[in-house]
C-alpha cells in the first residue's frame, strides 16, 4: 500500500477524515494499487460462474469504483454494461482505464447513489464487489429494494462473499480493531466515514434479500478451496427474481 504507486500514510489519513464521497475522490488515482480493490482472481472466478448462468443482455456494476467489475460484466453481457458510483473521482478513473471492445457491449458510467438509483427495470444482471461495508445494516432493505427495482423479471444480483476470519485469529482481531477505530472516528469527527468490514453478515444479508423478494442461492467458488471445517473460502451469492 505504501509503494510508490499506492497512497501514502498521510494520504490515507486525509481520506479517512473526509466524507466517503470526498475520500474516494482523493483516493481514486491510486485506488487500484491498494488492497481495497477486489483481487483479479476473485473477479475472474465470479466471471466464470456468471458465464455458466448467462449470457445476459444488460448488466449493472453497483458501486463500480474504478471499473474492475465492468470487465466481468463485459464478458457475460451482450448489449450493455453500466457502472454506477457516487464518486466522480472513481468514475473518472474508470472512464480512462476501461475501454469497450469494438465487438463488445456498450459501456456507460453514471454518477448516482446506490440507495437512489436513477434507472427503471433495465438490467438482467447486477453485480457488486467489495462495497457493502459502506452501508449500515439498517440501509440494507432500501439498498436491496433499489436493486430489485432496476432488474427485469428473471434477473439476478450476484456478488462474492469471502468467509470471515475465525474468532481469535489475527485476521479477526485486525478487522475488529479497524471497526472499533472507525466507530471512534465517527463518534468524534464529522462527516462520518462509513466503512465497517464486519457489518455485512451472511445470515442478515440472506434474510433481507429474501424479504425483498429474491430467491437466494450460494455457489462455492472452487478455485479458492475450503477451510478446515469443509466450508468454502469464497462463495458467490446469487439473488434471483421470478421470471
Amino acid at each position: 500500500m505504501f509503494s510508490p504507486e499506492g497512497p501514502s500514510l498521510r494520504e490515507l489519513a486525509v481520506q479517512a477524515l473526509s466524507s466517503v464521497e470526498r475520500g474516494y475522490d482523493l483516493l481514486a488515482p491510486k485506488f487500484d494499487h491498494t488492497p481495497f480493490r477486489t483481487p483479479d482472481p476473485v473477479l475472474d472466478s465470479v466471471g466464470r460462474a456468471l458465464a455458466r448462468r448467462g449470457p445476459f443482455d444488460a448488466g449493472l456494476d453497483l458501486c463500480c469504483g474504478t471499473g474492475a467489475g465492468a470487465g466481468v460484466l463485459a464478458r457475460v453481457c451482450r448489449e450493455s454494461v453500466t457502472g454506477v458510483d457516487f464518486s466522480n473521482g472513481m468514475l473518472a478513473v474508470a472512464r480512462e482505464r476501461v475501454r469497450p471492445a469494438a465487438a463488445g457491449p456498450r459501456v456507460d458510467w453514471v454518477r448516482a447513489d446506490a440507495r437512489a438509483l436513477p434507472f427503471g427495470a433495465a438490467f438482467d444482471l447486477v453485480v457488486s464487489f467489495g462495497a457493502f461495508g459502506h452501508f449500515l445494516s439498517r440501509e440494507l432493505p432500501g439498498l436491496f429494494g433499489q436493486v430489485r427495482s432496476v432488474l427485469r423479471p428473471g434477473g439476478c444480483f450476484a456478488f462474492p462473499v469471502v468467509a470471515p476470519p475465525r474468532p481469535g485469529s489475527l485476521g479477526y482481531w485486525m478487522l475488529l480493531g479497524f471497526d472499533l477505530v472507525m466507530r471512534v472516528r465517527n463518534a468524534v469527527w464529522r462527516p462520518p466515514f462509513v466503512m465497517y468490514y464486519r457489518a455485512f453478515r451472511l445470515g442478515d444479508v440472506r434474510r433481507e434479500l429474501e424479504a425483498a423478494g429474491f430467491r437466494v442461492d450460494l455457489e462455492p467458488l472452487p478455485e479458492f478451496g475450503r477451510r478446515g471445517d469443509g466450508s468454502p473460502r469464497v462463495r458467490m451469492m446469487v439473488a434471483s427474481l421470478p421470471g
Side-chain angles (χ1 to χ4, degrees):
M1 183 182 297
F2 306 119
S3 69
E5 296 83 11
S8 66
L9 181 60
R10 180 184 180 280
E11 288 172 325
L12 287 174
V14 171
Q15 180 214 9
L17 293 175
S18 306
S19 66
V20 180
E21 179 182 353
R22 176 60 178 157
Y24 276 100
D25 285 346
L26 294 170
L27 184 62
K30 299 182 178 181
F31 179 80
D32 287 348
H33 300 287
T34 73
F36 309 131
R37 182 187 183 275
T38 301
D40 286 337
V42 175
L43 295 167
D44 292 341
S45 183
V46 170
R48 287 189 290 270
L50 289 174
R52 294 191 289 269
R53 294 174 175 264
F56 305 89
D57 288 332
L60 176 68
D61 185 5
L62 188 73
C63 305
C64 66
T66 56
V72 174
L73 290 175
R75 296 199 293 269
V76 299
C77 294
R78 294 176 290 200
E79 296 179 2
S80 67
V81 170
T82 301
V84 62
D85 202 282
F86 76 163
S87 165
N88 274 324
M90 299 290 268
L91 289 171
V93 175
R95 290 188 184 97
E96 178 65 26
R97 294 186 179 175
V98 180
R99 302 291 186 178
R106 184 183 78 251
V107 178
D108 300 304
W109 306 102
V110 176
R111 183 182 179 277
D113 192 320
R115 294 163 294 193
L117 293 172
F119 311 108
F123 302 99
D124 307 289
L125 171 64
V126 176
V127 299
S128 194
F129 295 93
F132 296 120
H134 294 302
F135 299 97
L136 300 173
S137 296
R138 65 174 180 271
E139 295 177 309
L140 293 184
L143 176 67
F144 295 156
Q146 285 292 298
V147 174
R148 191 185 197 287
S149 74
V150 303
L151 280 170
R152 295 167 178 158
C156 67
F157 177 32
F159 50 90
V161 179
V162 179
R166 295 189 179 283
S169 67
L170 176 60
Y172 173 87
W173 290 114
M174 288 177 65
L175 292 184
L176 178 62
F178 181 89
D179 281 6
L180 289 174
V181 168
M182 292 305 297
R183 292 185 187 279
V184 171
R185 178 253 186 248
N186 290 338
V188 301
W189 195 273
R190 293 291 184 273
F193 192 97
V194 178
M195 183 66 226
Y196 298 125
Y197 281 109
R198 300 171 65 252
F200 196 71
R201 296 181 174 88
L202 189 60
D204 296 340
V205 171
R206 181 166 198 155
R207 183 169 58 252
E208 295 294 356
L209 284 167
E210 291 172 345
F214 290 98
R215 184 186 73 250
V216 181
D217 297 310
L218 279 169
E219 179 178 339
L221 298 180
E223 296 90 336
F224 301 97
R226 294 181 175 270
R227 305 204 297 182
D229 62 1
S231 61
R233 294 185 184 278
V234 184
R235 291 180 279 190
M236 182 174 72
M237 182 169 273
V238 182
S240 305
L241 291 178

